[in-house]
Amino acid sequence: MFLRLSLSLLVLSQSFANGLTTDGRFNANFMRKPALPIVHIDQNTPVTSRNGTILPPYNTTYTFQQLIDHNNPSLGTFTQRYWHTYEFYEEGGPIVMFSPGEGNAAQFSSYLTNNTINGQIAQQENGAVVLLEHRFYGLSNPLPDLSVESLRLLTVQQAIDDYEYFAKNVILPMPNGDRLSAVTTPWILTGGSYSGALTSWTMVNKPGLFAAGYASSAVVEAILDFWQYFEPERLTMPANCSVDVERVIAHIDEVFTGSNQTAIQAIKESFGLGDLTHLDDVAGALRNNLWDWQGLTLSGGPGAQFFKFCDALEVKDGVSAPAAGWGLEHALDAWSSYWKTTYLALLCGEDDVEDCLGTYDTSQPYWTDISIDNSERSSRKNAAPVGHPTLVSRLVQPAYKLRQCQQMFPEAFPQPPNVHTGQINSLYHGWNVSVSNLFFANGQRDPWRYATVSAPGVILKSTPSQPIAVSEGFHCGDLLTREGVANPTVLAVQKQALASIKTWIAAWKPTKVRSVRDLRSRERKLKKPVDGWFRTPVLE
């Protein structure tokens, strides 16, 4: 399936450059993508290396000629962007390669620094850091648009092959940068969220290519009906807020599935959504308050909006509700008032609710906009099954997001697609991954935890060669140095990872290639490039 990457984890969508909503999404009923936390630093000033050399600023953009289609190299190459620094590098040190995954990578150039685990690894191991933009995101586009035909080249395997081709062929803009191939130098692959999963999948698919891997909040298991997204939140959010949200959602579902049109319209009006046509869009819109959880970090940040929501429900006359909450009547009035008077404007600005939250009008241009640098992944999460507590409406089920996928790509899917997640889990081993020198870091509060190797019920064991470490953190928090400063459990995970990587890099040995003539002779015999090709070999 050509959209294997998009449909197995996240449904690919296109958005306007500025989005329709105040937070940049093209529709507020499409979830905020599982983005990595941003590290804010001064990126415009030159960098000073350990030996006093003045290096380019972190936000200096470099380019690499990547193959358009790894299955058909005759199609030529496209320009793939990357960012790089060698401020901690000393001869013999490794290359740390990171990708932010689904998004314009320019905003993540701070991930080159020791404000993140990438820089910590480089600092410890005397290495250099590379940040690589994912194909079809930002300005790294194999083809000039995001049409269905173009996106046939957006697959997990093409992304993995990009990693390999880059690591074996790039000439890094640093001293001896033409002699630092993944064959002659240990490369460490790191990632978070989707790119964390890609780290695991790459090390499964390309054994030995990378000397070590670090996968943060890696969503390795493809799951279509991922209702468990809200479980870590339900179990760790303030108890009074959780129980009252459950009460309100149960009541709304009961009314919306009934026949009392007056009661239905009254609820819509109370939330300021009286003009929103479809009830699943109305119920689905309320997920936005729960999605705010994903932006939380232990060191503080923009996710604080979530706690403003809970305070609106649970603080009455300056008094916080007990663990049992205030009850349905107060919670419904408080939530609807907060939505109508405060949150709706924060979410939609001046857009009307149908444009902002409606998902059925296919005349909206975001369904058909195929221009580059407009790509945004949007994963629509569902309610828990009947009989299990749920924070979101049961009107939102897999069919809701599959319909939207069909509307986005009608040329590929005349009907809502039938997604087979088993294929990607079989190819890249999902929860059953077993490779050497791969470190998994997960957080107990991460809404994506149930798709990681730390999901409850997963029997994968932590081993010295494939450690699995869990902190009290949120999504990808362990990537940030400041999260370790804020919380000892995150710091413990980071220290464990650094110790593991130190051991693995110390034991690494280069691929044996005696000469260019020997390499090319082996290629001729195999009638294909051998594993070990690099642009400028270092001869023994």
Side-chain angles (χ1 to χ4, degrees), residues 3 5-6 10-15 33 78-81 83 99-107 132-143 145-146 151 154-155 159 162 194 198 371-378 409:
L3 286 178
L5 172 62
S6 306
L10 309 159
V11 180
L12 185 79
S13 314
Q14 286 95 355
S15 69
K33 61 187 178 182
F78 71 96
T79 298
Q80 187 172 33
R81 299 194 301 174
W83 292 259
S99 173
E102 60 280 69
N104 188 311
Q107 62 183 320
L132 183 67
E133 189 165 63
H134 196 291
R135 63 171 46 214
F136 285 106
Y137 287 97
L139 302 181
S140 295
N141 291 275
L143 295 172
D145 59 39
L146 299 177
L151 291 175
L154 177 59
T155 67
D162 283 350
Y194 159 65
L198 198 55
S371 57
I372 65 171
D373 198 22
N374 285 343
S375 59
E376 176 185 278
R377 293 187 181 277
S378 179
F409 302 107

Side-chain angles (χ1 to χ4, degrees), residues 463-510:
T463 66
S465 65
Q466 187 178 282
I468 303 171
V470 182
S471 73
E472 296 174 351
F474 291 91
H475 190 59
C476 293
D478 51 88
L479 289 175
L480 306 185
T481 301
R482 70 172 189 250
E483 289 290 279
V485 174
N487 183 273
T489 68
V490 178
L491 182 61
V493 169
Q494 293 171 340
K495 286 184 174 180
Q496 183 182 348
L498 290 169
S500 294
I501 291 171
K502 186 177 187 65
T503 299
W504 298 335
I505 296 304
W508 181 87
K509 295 181 180 180

Side-chain angles (χ1 to χ4, degrees), residues 37-60:
I38 298 293
V39 179
H40 296 288
I41 62 168
D42 182 2
Q43 302 187 48
N44 295 303
T45 58
V47 178
T48 303
S49 73
R50 275 178 171 166
N51 64 12
T53 302
I54 303 301
L55 307 181
Y58 296 120
N59 61 4
T60 303

Side-chain angles (χ1 to χ4, degrees), residues 277-343:
T277 304
H278 295 88
L279 294 182
D280 52 0
D281 284 343
V282 176
L286 303 185
R287 294 173 298 170
N288 277 278
N289 297 121
L290 287 309
W291 286 335
D292 285 334
W293 177 268
Q294 183 172 283
L296 290 171
T297 63
L298 294 169
S299 56
Q305 190 64 48
F306 173 82
F307 292 111
K308 293 180 182 179
F309 159 68
C310 277
D311 285 347
L313 269 64
E314 303 306 326
V315 178
K316 180 168 57 173
D317 299 326
V319 178
S320 295
W326 291 122
L328 174 62
E329 182 177 357
H330 173 80
L332 179 59
D333 288 345
W335 193 350
S336 59
S337 175
Y338 173 71
W339 242 86
K340 189 172 185 176
T341 63
T342 302
Y343 195 77

